[in-house]
Amino acid sequence: MRVLGLSFGKKNANSDILTKEALFGAKEAYPDAEIKFINTQRLTIDRCIGCGACSMALERGKDNNCVIKDDFQMVEEEIRKADAIIVAAPVYVLQPVGQFKNLVDRFSCRHDVSAINWVLDKRRSGEMPGDPDAFPQERFKRRTVSYISVGGASTENWTSMGTATLHLFGFPVMMQVIANYNANSMGTIGNPYLDEELIGHMHEIGKRTAAALEMDPKDVEFYGPKGNGACPVCHQNLLTVNGTTTVECPICGIEGKISIDGDKLHVEFSEAQQARARGTFAGLREHTTEIQGFGAICGPKIMANKELLDRQMDRIKNFDKYINE
């Protein structure tokens, strides 16, 4: 078993401490586990530039490697090797530090299980070039993950998007989430080691994240020391409302029904909706189907309006000239 810890915080500060304590818990539960820890703060992980090179390479029969070469490749390789992963990141403005999102944007497009399988199916049918069996199969292996958001504010809503945003890391690869923990109030706690209960939760998270690998996914119980959340899939308390009794989990993209009993709000998500959450193959495939249909919709529109678009795009490409006329 390989257990990876990823910390996006300062060296030996709160995120590092909590990640490493979770890794100690994993090692305690599985003494033979191979443990790897990476602090990313001084690594160079540039943002995705939307060039599409990874997707185009995959559709041309090659591997979908990222053309930007920096420390991302090293981190990505360790994620691919890992069986269980602990991710911790500090919250600066409501959600995790930007470097985390840089990693997610470049990682998810290369590891979207549905998108990759869509291409591999095309290879098997002969519609696209390439050997489907030559694609690295370890990208599809089962992995477990737990998320730790670290914030200074005692007012929890100043860290409200911490664990929610961390969920963006695992769902394209269909990682099973074992635990969320919002470690806020660090400004008053001072140091994690001054809160024995917090350290105990980290150990338990590490143990459970590793132990879940040997369990049937259906038998894994989510570990939420601060509550299990309104959504039964991602266990977040964020809901999108549109003025009706139908609400949506913005992380999972599934619809639920709300009801009110006195001052208590209840949300029910059907099994059918839960089965199409973003972290499931069905949910990812909905998105793949939508994306793959863009060409048939937009292509004819663009060709039918080519002269208009050429004129308008000339204004964009030569903006400085036109704006000063």
Side-chain angles (χ1 to χ4, degrees), residues 147-161:
Y147 301 118
I148 304 165
S149 174
V150 184
S154 300
T155 308
E156 195 163 1
N157 64 31
W158 274 100
T159 60
S160 60
M161 296 174 66

Side-chain angles (χ1 to χ4, degrees), residues 94-96 100-101 104 161-169 251:
L94 296 185
Q95 60 181 350
F100 167 78
K101 191 61 165 54
V104 167
M161 296 174 66
T163 56
T165 303
L166 290 177
H167 272 263
L168 306 185
F169 169 72
I251 306 302

Side-chain angles (χ1 to χ4, degrees), residues 40 128 305:
T40 68
M128 287 185 177
N305 295 278

Side-chain angles (χ1 to χ4, degrees), residues 3-276:
V3 185
L4 172 66
L6 289 175
S7 169
F8 291 83
K10 294 185 292 185
K11 183 178 180 180
N12 294 328
N14 295 330
S15 294
D16 275 22
I17 293 170
L18 298 179
T19 304
K20 289 179 177 180
E21 285 298 336
L23 294 176
F24 278 126
K27 189 69 171 181
E28 181 181 327
Y30 292 86
D32 295 331
E34 180 181 328
I35 306 294
K36 178 77 174 184
F37 172 81
I38 299 175
N39 177 291
T40 68
Q41 190 187 51
R42 295 188 180 275
L43 300 181
T44 299
I45 303 176
D46 287 329
R47 68 179 183 86
C48 175
I49 59 174
C51 67
C54 56
S55 298
M56 288 187 289
L58 188 64
E59 293 177 4
R60 291 170 181 171
K62 302 176 182 179
D63 198 350
N64 57 345
N65 293 319
C66 182
V67 296
I68 302 172
K69 303 305 178 187
D70 52 22
D71 293 317
F72 167 77
Q73 281 76 19
M74 179 274 290
V75 178
E76 177 195 34
E77 183 63 24
E78 292 301 329
I79 295 171
R80 287 171 59 175
K81 290 178 184 177
D83 300 299
I85 304 174
I86 307 292
V87 181
V91 168
Y92 293 160
V93 184
L94 296 185
Q95 60 181 350
V97 63
Q99 190 196 45
F100 167 78
K101 191 61 165 54
N102 282 355
L103 176 72
V104 167
D105 287 346
R106 289 173 63 189
F107 180 79
S108 61
C109 59
R110 295 228 317 117
H111 296 271
D112 185 305
V113 173
S114 171
I116 292 172
N117 273 290
W118 186 86
V119 171
L120 296 185
D121 287 342
K122 296 287 185 181
R123 290 183 184 182
R124 293 185 184 97
S125 67
E127 297 174 72
M128 287 185 177
D131 180 1
D133 298 323
F135 192 82
Q137 295 301 301
E138 94 282 349
R139 296 195 200 175
F140 304 130
K141 73 178 182 180
R142 180 171 175 248
R143 295 179 179 88
T144 58
V145 65
S146 288
Y147 301 118
I148 304 165
S149 174
V150 184
S154 300
T155 308
E156 195 163 1
N157 64 31
W158 274 100
T159 60
S160 60
M161 296 174 66
T163 56
T165 303
L166 290 177
H167 272 263
L168 306 185
F169 169 72
F171 75 70
V173 204
M174 294 173 56
M175 296 183 191
Q176 183 172 12
V177 181
I178 308 304
N180 291 323
Y181 195 91
N182 182 13
N184 65 307
S185 294
M186 294 311 303
T188 54
I189 292 172
N191 185 295
Y193 287 118
L194 300 179
D195 188 332
E196 292 184 8
E197 183 179 0
L198 172 61
I199 295 299
H201 286 316
M202 295 304 107
H203 272 263
E204 189 65 20
I205 285 172
K207 290 178 182 179
R208 290 180 180 237
T209 307
L213 282 165
E214 297 185 348
M215 300 171 62
D216 186 311
K218 296 178 181 178
D219 295 332
V220 176
E221 183 178 351
F222 177 79
Y223 183 65
K226 291 190 173 184
N228 285 350
C231 176
V233 179
C234 69
H235 301 278
Q236 297 299 304
N237 279 318
L238 302 180
L239 295 173
T240 301
V241 298
N242 60 7
T244 72
T245 57
T246 299
V247 295
E248 185 177 77
C249 171
I251 306 302
C252 298
I254 58 176
E255 292 184 348
K257 288 290 185 179
I258 60 170
S259 59
I260 298 175
D261 181 12
D263 62 351
K264 292 185 178 180
L265 179 73
H266 302 279
V267 189
E268 292 291 334
F269 292 91
S270 68
E271 290 186 7
Q273 283 292 317
Q274 293 181 51
R276 58 170 290 272

